[in-house]
Amino acid sequence: MRATLERLSRLTWAERRTLWSAWWLLLAAPAALRLLPLRTLLQWAQAPAGPRWRSSVLPERLAWVVAAAARRHPWGPGCLPRALVLRRLLAAHGLAGELRIGVRRHADRLSAHAWVEYGGRALSEPAGVDRFQPLLAPPVVIR
C-alpha cells in the first residue's frame, strides 16, 4: 500500500485526474458494452462531450495510466473496455488514436483482441499484438 501511495504522489495533477477518470470509466464500460450498441460506444469513445483538457500528456503516458487503473480495478476489465476508455481519454486530450479490433487463429481456436494505435503503433500492448489481423482496416470513423 505504501509503494502505491508513493507512486501516486509522483503523478502530476493532470495524471491523477486522468487516473481517476479512467478508473470510473472502466467501472462503467463493461455494463455499457452489455446495454448499448457497439456503434454508440464507438461514437462515445471517439468524441467526448465538453471542452478538451489542456495538457501535454503523452499518448504512452495515457496508456500507462489506463493500464494502472485497470490493474487496481475490482473486476479486471478486458481489452475492449480498456481500449474504449483509452480512446476516449486520448480524444479528451486532443489526440486521435485508432481503436483496433483483431482476430488470430491459434491451432483450432480463434481469439480476439482490442487495442488502440497512435501514430501507427499499439499503445501499452504486449509484443504479440501484431499477430492479430485487424477486422476493419482502415479503422472505422463514426460520425
Side-chain angles (χ1 to χ4, degrees):
M1 178 72 157
R2 185 176 191 164
T4 301
L5 291 174
E6 286 176 15
R7 283 191 299 266
L8 184 61
S9 70
R10 288 192 297 260
L11 296 177
T12 66
W13 284 107
E15 290 171 335
R16 289 179 198 175
R17 180 182 60 200
T18 303
L19 180 66
W20 184 249
S21 296
W23 196 90
W24 282 105
L25 291 170
L26 287 168
L27 183 66
L33 280 165
R34 288 184 182 92
L35 299 172
L36 299 171
L38 184 58
R39 181 180 200 82
T40 301
L41 289 172
L42 291 174
Q43 289 172 334
W44 170 83
Q46 191 166 319
R52 290 187 175 151
W53 296 343
R54 294 173 194 244
S55 71
S56 58
V57 176
L58 298 173
E60 293 80 9
R61 192 65 174 168
L62 284 174
W64 178 86
V65 167
V66 171
R71 281 192 303 273
R72 285 155 183 81
H73 220 273
W75 295 288
C79 60
L80 185 54
R82 287 192 321 264
L84 287 167
V85 168
L86 177 54
R87 177 62 187 94
R88 171 98 174 170
L89 292 174
L90 284 168
H93 285 272
L95 302 168
E98 298 172 351
L99 178 71
R100 300 279 194 191
I101 300 173
V103 295
R104 76 174 177 181
R105 183 180 209 127
H106 182 68
D108 62 341
R109 296 184 57 196
L110 189 66
S111 57
H113 185 58
W115 68 96
V116 175
E117 290 182 358
Y118 182 82
R121 307 184 291 114
L123 292 175
S124 180
E125 289 298 323
V129 77
D130 60 342
R131 291 185 294 225
F132 286 89
Q133 178 64 40
L135 292 175
L136 301 171
V140 176
V141 176
I142 306 294
R143 302 222 189 268

